[in-house]
Amino acid sequence: MRSIGSSLLLALAALAFSTPAAAQEWRMVIHGGAGTIERDRMTPERDAEIRAALSHALETGAAVLADGGSALDAVEATIRVLEDDPNFNAGRGAVFTAAGRNELDASIMDGRTRDAGAVAGVTATRHPISLARAVMEDSPHVMMAASGADAFSLEQGLEQAAPEWFHTDERYEQLQRFLSRDQADASDLAGADYKFGTVGAVALDMDGNLAAGTSTGGMTGKLYGRVGDSPVIGAGTYADNRACAVSATGAGEYYIREGVAHEICARIRFLGETPQQAADFVQAETLELGGTGGVIVLGPDGDWAYSFNTAGMYRGMIAAGAEPQVGIYGDE
Ligand code: ASP
């Protein structure tokens, strides 16, 4: 007969070696815009700078997720980093409107509750993604626009920024080129060269919750009041634990008409498609309308995809136990 002491020891050993309920493996996928991004148009310095910026953003989100933080917090933290980076068309470094202003759009969605928040045409908030989250959490609304959203930002005590903060010479010169373009190019308003750099993130946390967010300056030379797909829930951003999280980047006029982000989630949910199948299908249909761009998609089981029909898309992925990856061109 075993003594009580040895039984206790056996019980303790069993406890020590029993595996706890497996925590969900976390993952994050990001993009920094899609467009005419080709090797021969990039300097090695710029290539390295973009890769470093994407890696830094991924590490920011990974730190939140690896610590057991929520997908929502990871998405917001990652996008804040990209908004501060002048390499991207969001926050600092945003493109200019035809009137020479920076008007910013952003949205965020929680896949657990399907709560969502969005802002359009805001001009004075350093991190529009945080303003979108404030709309979601601290207002009774889903979307707020222009001066009203700017006022709400002040009221919420979010960090404000002067117009100079958002201004970069490169984007301003892009506007001058756009304004002096040949009228034959007028149809190129949606042209990839005039906008790329929108940022987005999708994340899956250890609790199995998904979230998605997108932030942008929109398109160079956009007209007064123009709003793209990025702040439109269901077009540029969508998250639903039952299906997937999506962030899109591309010619907003087409992404809105296709309802890209929701359409991808609906195909996964109702047709049982994988993220790659659903993303490729919806991207192809959007292209039929005339819309170029790309999406990142992440499912509740960690399955994920990039899909783009432009020459390149700034992108990256990081996950528990996997090598982080970043990419720029279509052939890598
Ligand atoms: N989708 C953005 C917009 O139309 C632009 C982009 O993603 O490049 O405002």
Side-chain angles (χ1 to χ4, degrees):
M1 227 178 92
R2 273 198 308 253
S3 71
I4 294 194
S6 64
S7 298
L8 194 67
L9 270 179
L10 276 174
L12 281 175
L15 207 66
F17 291 108
S18 69
T19 37
Q24 175 77 44
E25 299 261 306
W26 57 266
R27 187 182 296 276
M28 161 163 277
V29 189
I30 63 171
H31 71 75
T36 319
I37 308 168
E38 289 159 343
R39 277 202 170 75
D40 55 5
R41 289 181 174 219
M42 276 293 219
T43 62
E45 294 73 32
R46 178 128 180 126
D47 180 295
E49 205 175 301
I50 297 289
R51 286 179 200 275
L54 292 169
S55 298
H56 176 49
L58 282 173
E59 281 155 16
T60 304
V64 174
L65 294 168
D67 203 35
S70 72
L72 201 62
D73 285 345
V75 162
E76 183 187 4
T78 302
I79 292 182
R80 284 171 66 98
V81 166
L82 293 165
E83 286 176 336
D84 275 352
D85 190 319
N87 284 302
F88 302 99
N89 171 19
R92 188 161 166 238
V95 299
F96 284 86
T97 67
R101 292 157 50 88
N102 299 116
E103 295 181 0
L104 313 166
D105 300 337
S107 63
I108 194 162
M109 186 158 182
D110 183 346
R112 187 176 64 88
T113 55
R114 274 174 286 140
D115 284 339
V119 290
V122 297
T123 60
T125 304
R126 176 167 170 182
H127 295 114
I129 194 68
S130 297
L131 183 53
R133 186 165 178 177
V135 170
M136 174 171 88
E137 291 178 343
D138 301 315
S139 90
H141 307 302
V142 167
M143 192 177 210
M144 293 172 88
S147 57
D150 283 340
F152 178 68
S153 173
L154 261 178
E155 206 180 283
Q156 288 293 307
L158 296 189
E159 186 176 351
Q160 304 294 295
E164 302 79 58
W165 167 258
F166 302 107
H167 178 112
T168 58
D169 291 344
E170 191 185 337
R171 291 301 192 184
Y172 197 69
E173 281 155 23
Q174 217 168 50
L175 173 66
Q176 303 317 312
R177 283 202 300 282
F178 177 80
L179 294 175
S180 62
R181 76 199 183 284
D182 194 325
Q183 277 312 303
D185 285 350
S187 63
D188 199 31
L189 179 64
D193 289 342
Y194 290 121
K195 57 177 171 49
F196 69 70
T198 290
V199 305
V202 292
L204 172 65
D205 63 31
M206 282 186 194
D207 294 327
N209 293 315
L210 291 166
T214 311
S215 182
T216 190
M219 285 178 170
T220 298
K222 64 184 180 182
L223 297 181
Y224 36 66
R226 183 267 185 186
V227 176
D229 60 314
S230 307
V232 177
I233 297 299
T237 301
Y238 202 73
D240 179 346
N241 276 5
R242 299 169 303 178
C244 69
V246 180
S247 172
T249 173
E253 279 65 14
Y254 301 93
Y255 279 66
I256 291 174
R257 287 164 57 201
E258 178 76 8
V260 166
H262 185 272
E263 188 90 341
I264 290 172
C265 287
R267 294 189 72 85
I268 291 174
R269 189 164 158 229
F270 298 117
L271 300 179
E273 290 185 348
T274 63
Q276 193 71 60
Q277 287 168 335
D280 291 348
F281 186 92
V282 175
Q283 278 284 110
E285 279 205 340
T286 311
L287 189 60
E288 271 172 34
L289 294 177
T292 57
V295 292
I296 51 173
V297 186
L298 177 57
D301 54 358
D303 193 9
W304 63 284
Y306 306 125
S307 181
F308 53 98
N309 49 36
T310 45
M313 179 165 83
Y314 297 150
R315 59 198 186 276
M317 189 283 297
I318 195 160
E323 278 296 301
Q325 50 167 270
V326 297
I328 294 181
Y329 314 106
D331 61 3
E332 61 176 315

